[in-house]
Amino acid sequence: MTFDVATIKADFPLLSRVIDGKPITYLDSAASSQRPQSVLDAMDRYYRESHANVHRGAYRLATEATDAMEGARQKIADFIGAPHAHEVIFTKNATESMNLFAQSWGRGHLHAGDVVVLTEMEHHANIVPWHMLTESIGIELRWIPVDENGELDLTDLDRLLDGAKLLSVTAMSNVLGTITPIKRLADAAHAAGATIVVDGSQYVPHLPTDVVDLGIDAFVFTGHKMLGPTGVGVLWGKTELLDAMPPFLGGGDMILQVTKDGFTTNELPHKFEAGTPAIAEIVGLGAAVDYLTALGMEDVRAHEVSLTAYAMRSLKERFGDDITIHGPSEPASRGGVLSLIYKDVHPHDISQVLDQDNVYVRAGHHCAKPLMQVMGLNATARASLYLYNDEADVDTLADALASADDIFGF
């Protein structure tokens, strides 16, 4: 597949929609991406031709459904460089994946006074589960600070990790676009005797991913930010780590045996997949991986670096000091997430003004209130770029943003 944005955009049915005579400019992929026709077709084909429950049926449809689901698992394992497909655990989203890890690994390994290290740029999904363990177990949380450039301040990393049991960190900030130095963090965590789990929700859709090369122990991400459907996420973990974790939910398919006296757990990955899974969504995620693989993640990344550079340059040239773009100034050090402050216009007002031109951005705290407190803000307007966006989309954003001047009398 050639990386031509016009051709790519045509693969996404929603992006051809016209509302009130104006096309859609979708700039909210950090919240949820759009889906190509191939993903929609894969899910529809499963429901029309092969729907049955998986793993337990001995008839043709059940076998086809099982093969489709397990084939998707293998695709996802290959996509992230996992050594074994059984290390890929399906959940309903990254939030559930992190909660699974916190409740299973956390309750199995952490005790009162044990230290978990987070960063100030984490999404609430990588904060609240650890606050819950603080309340129920009495663990201690330490925080890696964020500097004025939107980067992690690692000056005191060794001190923060001293005696820690776990480092839980995002691979890319959903507010600042900052790409964190995961390899360095993993090496430091292991040197301190700590385990490292990484939130890859903003990373996997945009960069080539190899969990072995990153040197991490566990990894979570979600399907709906990487061209897949909602309702499916992934927890990857090293085999030995997952084997040592107790099950999170109890019920069908996670058992090997059940008696009146107790139960024994099934082998991986089924140990953590109680009940009927989101089969169609998993199939759809497999199709999304096919689409991204055909494009080539190196090319996806190169396109986004180039487009991010254009967006940051053109917006500053047009609006000067009237606009602030938070996060690293170097496009190669960040993702295509642009958290904006424009003059004195409230981010929610900006979003509503842009909506009049069908330019869709996110306004709010982006589920990262601790980071917002550090930044001294309540909210930003966030435009997030993806593989189906181009320079024309950025120009449309700028034109729509300029219209705020007329509305608010600047």
Side-chain angles (χ1 to χ4, degrees), residues 345-353 363-365 378-381:
V345 184
H346 193 282
H348 289 90
D349 292 332
I350 288 176
S351 178
Q352 289 182 322
V353 169
H365 53 70
N378 292 319
T380 67

Side-chain angles (χ1 to χ4, degrees), residues 25 54 71 75 93 116 122 142 153 178 210 314 318 323 328 338 352 371 385 402:
T25 302
V54 292
K75 291 175 185 179
N93 47 47
V116 170
E122 299 307 312
R142 297 177 186 167
D153 181 353
T178 308
D210 188 322
S314 62
R318 182 159 182 177
I323 194 168
L338 307 175
Q352 289 182 322
L371 177 59
L385 309 171

Side-chain angles (χ1 to χ4, degrees), residues 221-232:
F221 59 100
T222 193
H224 70 95
K225 298 183 192 293
M226 54 182 290
L227 310 184
T230 56
V232 59

Side-chain angles (χ1 to χ4, degrees), residues 247 251 254-259 262-267 271:
M254 55 73 62
I255 57 91
L256 193 62
Q257 177 63 281
V258 178
T259 70
F263 71 97
T264 55
T265 58
N266 205 342
E267 61 187 10
K271 172 183 176 182

Side-chain angles (χ1 to χ4, degrees), residues 69 72-73 76 88-92 232-234 272-273 282 285:
M69 174 176 159
R73 194 191 306 272
I76 294 161
V88 172
I89 309 300
F90 289 124
T91 63
K92 69 174 181 286
V232 59
V234 171
F272 294 106
E273 294 180 355
I282 292 168
L285 182 54

Side-chain angles (χ1 to χ4, degrees), residues 262-339:
F263 71 97
T264 55
T265 58
N266 205 342
E267 61 187 10
L268 295 173
H270 313 299
K271 172 183 176 182
F272 294 106
E273 294 180 355
T276 298
I279 306 167
E281 287 77 9
I282 292 168
V283 170
L285 182 54
V289 166
D290 287 340
Y291 189 92
L292 290 169
T293 300
L295 280 181
M297 292 307 297
E298 294 284 357
D299 290 339
V300 170
R301 175 60 180 157
H303 167 70
E304 290 185 19
V305 171
S306 175
L307 185 58
T308 301
Y310 175 80
M312 295 176 71
R313 182 176 64 252
S314 62
L315 289 171
K316 289 301 291 185
E317 287 175 353
R318 182 159 182 177
F319 299 109
D321 292 338
D322 287 337
I323 194 168
T324 300
I325 303 173
H326 291 280
S329 59
E330 173 52 54
S333 300
R334 62 180 298 151
V337 175
L338 307 175
S339 282

Side-chain angles (χ1 to χ4, degrees), residues 27 60 169 178 181 241-242 263 295 328 337 344 356 395 402:
L27 298 172
R60 181 182 295 273
V169 57
T178 308
L241 179 143
L242 295 173
F263 71 97
L295 280 181
V337 175
D344 293 325
Q356 295 178 10
D395 295 341

